[in-house]
Amino acid sequence: MNSILFAAAIALLAGTGLATAQQAPAMHEGHLGQLDTNKDGGVSQAEYQTFMTESFTKLDRNADGVLVESEVREILSPRQIAATDANKDGRISQDEFLRQVMSDFARADSGGDGHLK
């Protein structure tokens, strides 16, 4: 799974900014369990999108609707920030953020069934 997906999820699940993009720990069963809100044994695309939408709000410390480097530098590398900033305005909108993490989800969904297990 892409490190943007892992780093953001794990840092937010842990409640800290200690997960770095280059050293994001693997998502384990306990993390999946927290995201699996319907308790079906996997994380659906909808469950992940809900979690990441909430995560964006938590990361947006000044509640201005965009993420800037100072808000995400503890979990994303400058390269990842630049890759997520599709319009290259130096800010990551919620749409840009969700587009990236949901693209990461799709790549991680090796079975192509819309679920991570």
Side-chain angles (χ1 to χ4, degrees):
M1 197 179 299
N2 185 288
S3 59
I4 289 177
L5 185 71
F6 269 133
I10 292 172
L12 291 162
L13 285 170
T16 71
L18 298 178
T20 64
Q22 291 78 19
Q23 298 176 340
M27 189 174 283
H28 61 71
E29 192 172 317
H31 293 137
L32 289 174
Q34 289 178 318
L35 296 176
D36 180 14
T37 57
N38 67 1
K39 305 303 178 201
D40 69 352
V43 177
S44 71
Q45 189 173 23
E47 287 170 321
Y48 201 80
Q49 184 164 351
T50 296
F51 173 78
M52 293 310 289
T53 299
E54 293 167 0
S55 298
F56 182 91
T57 301
K58 290 177 185 176
L59 290 168
D60 183 14
R61 292 183 211 138
N62 64 358
D64 67 351
V66 296
L67 302 177
V68 294
E69 183 179 355
S70 63
E71 292 171 314
V72 295
R73 76 174 78 142
E74 293 175 349
I75 60 171
L76 300 177
S77 72
R79 189 179 106 243
Q80 290 169 319
I81 293 168
T84 304
D85 179 14
N87 66 1
K88 307 301 179 206
D89 67 355
R91 305 170 338 147
I92 299 171
S93 69
Q94 186 174 30
D95 286 342
E96 289 170 324
F97 180 80
L98 290 174
R99 191 174 311 118
Q100 180 64 52
V101 297
M102 297 316 294
S103 174
D104 296 342
F105 181 98
R107 279 193 299 279
D109 180 12
S110 59
D113 63 356
H115 285 79
L116 302 180
K117 295 178 177 141

